[in-house]
Amino acid sequence: MSGELLFEGKDWSFETLQMIHDAAEVVAKQELGLDTFPNQIEVITTEQMLDAYSSTGMPLLYRHWSFGKRFAQYEGVYRAGLQGLAYEIVINSNPCISYVMEENSATMQALVIAHAAFGHNHFFKNNYQFRQWTDPAGILDYLAYAKNYIAACEERYGYAEVERLLDAAHALSAQGVDRYPRKRPMSLADEEKRDRERREERERLYDDLWRTVPRSGESARKAVDHQRALLRLPQENVLYFLEKAAPKLHAWQREVLRIVRLIAQYFYPQQQTKVMNEGCATYCHYRIMSRLHEKGQISDGSYLEFLQSHTNAIRQPTAHDPSYSGINPYALGFDIMRDIARIVGEPTEEDRHWFPQIAGTGDEMAALRDVWANYRDDSFIAQFLSPHLMRNWRLFHIVDKEDAPKLRVEAIHNERGYHDLRRSLASDYEVGRHTPDIQVVDVDLAGTRRLVLHHRVFEGKILDVVDTALVLRHLTALWGYDVVLEEVDAVTNEVLKAHMASPEA
Amino acid sequence: MRIVDRRLNPGGKSFSNRQRFLRRVRDTVERAVREASRERAIEDLENAQEVTVPADGAREPVFRHTAGERRDFILPGNREYVEGDLIDRPSGDGGGGGTEPGRGHGQEDAFRFVLTREEFLSIFLDDLELPDFAKRGLVDAQKLGSRRAGYTVSGTPANLSLGRTMRMSLARRIAMGRPKQQIVERLERETAGATEKDIADLLEQELKSARARRLRIPFLDPVDLRYRRFERFPRPVAQAVMFCLMDVSGSMTEHMKDLAKRFFMLLHVFLTRRYQRVEIVFIRHTDEAQEVDEETFFRSTETGGTTVSSALVEMDRIITDRYDPANWNIYGAQASDGDNMLSDNDRTRMLLQEKILPRCQYFAYLEVANSNETSPISYIGGSSLWNAYAPLATSARNFQMRRVSRRDHIYPVFRELFQRREGANAEAAK
């Protein structure tokens, strides 16, 4: 019970922020063993927070109307008072940048620093998905480059032209990520340099590729196979394919596609680790704030204020509650992590049976650090959602079959249901289940240059007709020739439906 | 750890994104703005406007799954169910379980956002232009303005720039090596406290020289003085006066006055955007005309006959008295239900043609009718005033006339009257 209060009342100053950071750092590093990038804390206004929000949290994204639309939406909601702004935005960069809003009380600043500058920061630095796919040291430079490049394109080729291109690229950006690791970690700066050096060379290659004359028999087939290999078909990264192989694009258009693709890729790990990332940050802020209070560095009043925010953040209404809007990732992540700490510390017989590797090992932070480093949402839930927690949350599984007259309760939180619930909830967090599985499978090289894509259909989830038509219109604009998208049943390989599109004259 | 204060950074980073977005949904916004000019109270016309953009207005399509033949929901808070229970499908799609957990699938809703006053007006007035926007003679008549332009070594005491002067003084003192007061004081102390004579002499010497230097090199020298410099530059003066003429005789209903008011309001918003200074003159008339204030103009009703020419006479008088056409751009708008004493029609037309139109940039006649009128815009048959004015509409370049009966026609008519005319501009430029 030693230590002086870091702050009193609601007001804060830059010295306060510094003191809060230093005190939190002591807890984070010495007691929790967190390993973080250096921190940079930026104080911003509400308007700037809205700005940051509307450009996917990035401080210097290129310009596009959709960000303006998002700004208008957020602003509208914010003005209407329906929803406070999130207290924080944190950027996966080195140094790790956390934004704090000037309106926040000192307690809230402490919460944000504990949450973002230590929790998220540790997660970014250590989780294998982020290590694999992101380049925190290079991202801000790359974004600055991208912004300038696109601005220069607007200058040179006109707003309308660039806007059309970005619209098309955005429509396909979910199909613009590599899902499987490459051999070496990516460095945005290296990639960009290497690519620029080779661009001209490749330009020449396309020309050669398309100047092929139809030939007959075996040799023609071989030539076609060779070209397919050159085009790396089949290819699930549609944007990558277009960037490399679309015959009619100019070099600058390829570069813009590439920018959109690389940024989409940068955010891909965040999509796959939402529950874990927020859970980690929430767990860390909870531990850090509680410890600061224990040490007498935060007053009882502030601690109560903190608890109130904390409780709000991890609120999980039940499915019967009118305010239910899905499972709250903060709540799920935080509860599983707290449960892991419990299992490590005071396991029951059931826990020893379910979690033999961690039950009773005693060092909860070691176990959690390992979890944070080596899992993503689906594997995390599949591995660590315990029967104890399923009972606490009173989870149940409902199946809605199209042809059945009623909904069926498939499983509940009992002995027979645990495995089903855990598997089903985990699969709900597989990014692949929600992003349609679309691949470029073929190009009619010798003839019409028609592009063929396949959508592998699971459980009858075909594509929405209207949106698909609109996306295909963008796709044909990029490709320059006809495009056909066939929906193929993943099990029977039967073609269920085909969408065609031709480029506009 | 580093703390950076970004609050002073220019905000509005999303300004250009917003511009792009507005351009994108331009049609919708234009419709909404027109709607607003129809629905809202006139006083609010220039204020910020809320605009609703339908979901399709700025759609961002992506490949999306449909629901498929089977949907799974993992939900918290089971109260009564056991495995195998069958539950009635809740009414409404996905109810009971809500939508798919935590995923932002599904259609976006329409959303509302607020246009700033500037955005509203620029769309509101887009591609409108007053014919003969400014008199050539007036463009030349310029006033001189003044603006800051750096510093100068001479000037009046009122323009002395203390900061800059002190900076120069400091630089000079450092360059010339003027000893500071503290150094003199230290030397004085040391001299007084020195016990050995040699040292005391040396110190004395040094003190003397320091004092001398301080005298030789003044704290503030005339060469340090800097004055703020102002530069004169020609500032074009554009001023306009708008005459609002209205018949307030008993036949003018509240509805008609409302139409007229909306029209005048548009004209005023429009003129204030184009000119630095716009004055308004309200003239109402029955069989006599008088200049009144805005409140009286729009609120009061008189009875009596109608002599339109009286208003034109009054306008002519006021122009002669106060608004020399050499210095003012003059606009006139007249609203009337078209009733006039038959005997007055010729006189009215002559007045307009010979006295008013030559001195005006533009004159619009708006005939207002009751809302139950059937052929709203093109009026066939013609009121007495309409028929009197009709020949002028073809012969005079700066005169236009329209008839409106419904509020929502005001804006289109206004646009028609003030649409940018390539031909007219070309002519004006000659």
Side-chain angles (χ1 to χ4, degrees), chain A residues 1-8 23 27 288-300 302-303:
Chain A
M1 283 295 169
S2 65
E4 283 175 32
L5 288 182
L6 295 166
F7 53 85
E8 273 174 281
V27 180
I288 291 170
M289 293 295 281
S290 301
R291 188 73 186 111
L292 291 178
H293 178 238
E294 260 174 49
K295 294 207 294 192
Q297 294 177 294
I298 291 182
S299 70
D300 292 347
S302 305
Y303 191 63

Side-chain angles (χ1 to χ4, degrees), chain A residues 205-337:
Chain A
L205 184 71
Y206 302 128
D207 292 345
D208 286 343
L209 199 60
W210 295 111
R211 224 179 284 131
T212 47
V213 213
R215 274 171 288 180
S216 58
E218 184 68 5
S219 70
R221 204 179 55 74
K222 256 191 199 156
V224 167
D225 282 348
H226 174 63
Q227 281 152 0
R228 281 207 186 114
L230 271 184
L231 293 171
R232 300 212 211 161
L233 293 177
Q235 172 62 260
E236 65 156 3
N237 191 331
V238 179
L239 272 187
Y240 176 84
F241 174 82
L242 292 169
E243 175 195 327
K244 303 296 172 193
K248 288 187 168 176
L249 293 183
H250 299 292
W252 70 269
Q253 293 171 314
R254 294 180 203 282
E255 182 63 18
V256 170
L257 291 191
R258 178 182 174 75
I259 286 169
V260 173
R261 177 170 70 80
L262 291 182
I263 292 175
Q265 187 78 59
Y266 199 81
F267 285 105
Y268 186 56
Q270 308 212 3
Q271 281 175 35
Q272 302 192 78
T273 53
K274 177 92 176 143
V275 171
M276 288 194 73
N277 202 345
E278 294 303 353
C280 170
T282 306
Y283 189 82
C284 290
H285 82 222
Y286 185 70
R287 289 288 303 267
I288 291 170
M289 293 295 281
S290 301
R291 188 73 186 111
L292 291 178
H293 178 238
E294 260 174 49
K295 294 207 294 192
Q297 294 177 294
I298 291 182
S299 70
D300 292 347
S302 305
Y303 191 63
L304 281 178
E305 186 192 345
F306 154 72
L307 280 180
Q308 194 181 2
S309 302
H310 173 74
T311 316
N312 277 340
I314 59 165
R315 192 174 105 84
Q316 177 62 66
T318 66
H320 302 278
D321 194 313
S323 69
Y324 180 78
S325 61
I327 287 181
N328 174 355
Y330 291 77
L332 184 63
F334 180 69
D335 277 7
I336 298 181
M337 286 163 197

Side-chain angles (χ1 to χ4, degrees), chain B residues 6 120 122 131 167 171 203 215 246 249 264 280 288 337 344 366 376-377 382 394-395 400 412 415:
Chain B
R6 292 261 183 243
F120 176 80
S122 89
R167 202 197 296 179
L203 283 170
L215 280 180
M246 186 157 68
S249 63
F264 292 132
I280 321 176
E288 257 176 58
D337 60 356
D344 188 47
L366 186 77
I377 293 185
T394 48
S395 64
Q400 291 281 328
R415 286 186 76 88

Side-chain angles (χ1 to χ4, degrees), chain B residues 373-399:
Chain B
E373 168 140 350
T374 43
S375 72
I377 293 185
S378 64
Y379 183 61
I380 307 156
S383 67
S384 113
L385 194 56
W386 181 274
N387 289 332
Y389 279 169
L392 289 177
T394 48
S395 64
R397 195 168 55 78
N398 57 349
F399 176 74

Side-chain angles (χ1 to χ4, degrees), chain B residues 174-189:
Chain B
I174 290 170
M176 311 273 287
R178 182 180 198 259
K180 288 185 177 163
Q181 179 66 32
Q182 294 99 296
I183 291 176
V184 176
E185 279 166 8
R186 182 172 55 80
L187 285 170
E188 278 169 355
R189 268 198 316 278

Side-chain angles (χ1 to χ4, degrees), chain B residues 48 70 105 174 181 200 218 258 287 297 314 358 364 388 390:
Chain B
R70 171 192 164 120
H105 283 190
I174 290 170
Q181 179 66 32
D258 182 57
D287 47 4
F297 185 73
E314 179 72 358

Side-chain angles (χ1 to χ4, degrees), chain A residues 51 154 167 397 400 404 467, chain B residues 14 20 24 64 72 89:
Chain A
D51 274 346
E154 284 182 338
D167 285 351
H397 176 187
D400 176 3
D467 266 327
Chain B
S14 49
R20 284 168 169 75
R24 180 82 180 195
R64 288 192 297 122
D72 289 75
R89 228 174 265 276

